[in-house]
């Protein structure tokens, strides 16, 4: 399977990224994959490879490129609960600096780079995000409704906030089909209801689903949160979504 470590020119510098492409040449739909808070690492590179094996060209950018190449902080091979709080404490200032303006500037650069690749077929692309990446995926889709045909977010954060530019307030701009897969406790029932009402009012084709018995981070096999059955369920939701939205047009 062809893979590359590459750089993408953005208005704020050069972002390093990982990309994976299907075997056999030809052109295939593009997918922009946003990482969780821990960033680009073997776990996410493996996720990109698996998506590529299903026929997608996948780009995984380093969200924190302004602070250096990935990983911007040393990560253990397994992110256990004994080290997770310290890692989050180190990364939180970087997350807080990743403002909506930065997210949208980066998204435009990532999508332009992805769709300009010769391996990527014309037509809609998908955007997939994990943890904070789910909010980035929704923001990207609302900013590029003519391009993004599918959005998926898993164990999301920051989708419903009190901020005037909270992602849920922008869903009327969505034209993509959406799936949000949540761990128990990712959102309060009130916030999930707020998100559902916003999507319904906007006429967005969507599903939101709490994956039973899961905790935040359930798709990530390099963490204590990992749940193998929930990861399989994630694929059962993600792959049909991408096929419907990206390959049947």
């Amino acid at each position: 399977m062809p893979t590359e470590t590459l750089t993408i020119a953005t208005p704020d510098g050069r972002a390093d990224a990982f990309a994976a492409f299907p075997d056999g040449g030809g052109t295939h739909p593009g997918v922009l994959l946003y990482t969780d808070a821990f960033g680009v690492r073997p776990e996410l590179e493996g996720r990109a490879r698996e998506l590529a094996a299903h026929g997608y060209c996948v780009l995984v950018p380093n969200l924190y490129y302004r602070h250096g190449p990935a990983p911007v902080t040393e990560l253990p091979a397994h992110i256990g609960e004994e080290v997770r709080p310290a890692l989050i404490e180190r990364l939180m200032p970087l997350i807080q600096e990743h403002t909506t303006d930065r997210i949208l500037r980066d998204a435009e650069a990532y999508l332009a780079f992805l769709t300009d690749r010769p391996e990527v077929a014309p037509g809609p692309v998908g955007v997939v995000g994990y943890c904070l990446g789910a909010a980035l995926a929704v923001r990207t889709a609302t900013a590029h409704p003519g391009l993004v045909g599918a959005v998926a977010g898993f164990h999301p954060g920051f989708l419903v906030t009190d901020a005037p530019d909270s992602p849920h307030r922008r869903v009327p701009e969505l034209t993509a089909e959406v799936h949000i897969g949540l761990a128990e406790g990712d959102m309060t029932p009130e916030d999930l209801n707020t998100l559902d009402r916003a999507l319904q009012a906007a006429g967005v084709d969507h599903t939101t689903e709490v994956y039973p018995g899961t905790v935040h981070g359930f798709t990530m096999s390099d963490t204590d949160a990992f749940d193998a059955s929930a990861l399989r369920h994630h694929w059962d939701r993600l792959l049909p979504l991408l096929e419907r939205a990206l390959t049947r047009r």
Side-chain angles (χ1 to χ4, degrees):
M1 175 181 297
T3 63
E4 291 184 34
T5 299
L6 42 80
T7 58
I8 302 167
T10 79
D12 297 336
R14 296 185 66 81
D16 53 304
F18 177 84
F21 305 96
D23 289 324
T27 62
H28 307 270
V31 171
L32 174 59
L33 193 159
Y34 286 120
T35 70
D36 62 1
F38 299 120
V40 182
R41 58 194 192 279
E43 176 75 12
L44 276 301
E45 293 172 0
R47 192 70 42 89
R49 287 188 179 94
E50 186 154 359
L51 271 172
H54 287 280
Y56 300 97
C57 301
V58 187
L59 180 67
V60 189
N62 171 21
L63 306 181
Y64 309 126
Y65 71 87
R66 294 172 181 85
H67 298 270
V72 293
T73 190
E74 185 176 354
L75 296 173
H78 184 83
I79 302 170
E81 285 305 307
E82 72 281 1
V83 299
R84 186 179 186 280
L87 288 174
I88 292 295
E89 184 177 2
R90 290 205 296 270
L91 291 168
M92 189 55 66
L94 280 62
I95 295 170
Q96 292 170 339
E97 288 176 18
H98 207 55
T99 61
T100 301
D101 286 344
R102 285 187 172 186
I103 291 165
L104 296 181
R105 288 199 302 272
D106 288 348
E108 186 165 356
Y110 299 153
L111 289 174
F113 182 90
L114 178 63
T115 56
D116 196 45
R117 291 285 302 206
E119 302 93 341
V120 176
V125 303
V127 187
V128 180
Y130 300 87
C131 181
L132 64 89
L136 273 60
V138 172
R139 290 195 187 281
T140 298
T142 58
H144 299 272
L147 179 58
V148 178
V151 177
F154 298 95
H155 39 87
F158 310 110
L159 282 179
V160 176
T161 74
D162 293 331
D165 66 346
S166 173
H168 81 280
R169 302 185 197 280
R170 307 302 298 269
V171 298
E173 299 166 44
L174 279 172
T175 59
E177 184 178 349
V178 177
H179 174 72
I180 304 295
L182 303 104
E184 293 182 352
D186 273 340
M187 297 176 72
T188 66
E190 293 78 15
D191 283 348
L192 182 54
N193 187 46
T194 295
L195 177 62
D196 272 324
R197 287 202 316 269
L199 290 163
Q200 290 163 3
V204 175
D205 188 359
H206 74 282
T207 55
T208 59
E209 181 179 3
V210 177
Y211 291 22
T214 58
V215 297
H216 183 75
F218 58 79
T219 68
M220 299 298 165
S221 67
D222 62 348
T223 75
D224 284 354
F226 179 59
D227 184 313
S229 63
L231 176 64
R232 290 192 297 272
H233 190 60
H234 140 284
W235 287 118
D236 290 343
R237 293 292 185 262
L238 177 57
L239 293 175
L241 167 64
L242 296 177
E243 182 180 4
R244 285 193 304 272
L246 307 187
T247 68
R248 293 183 181 175
R249 298 191 178 190

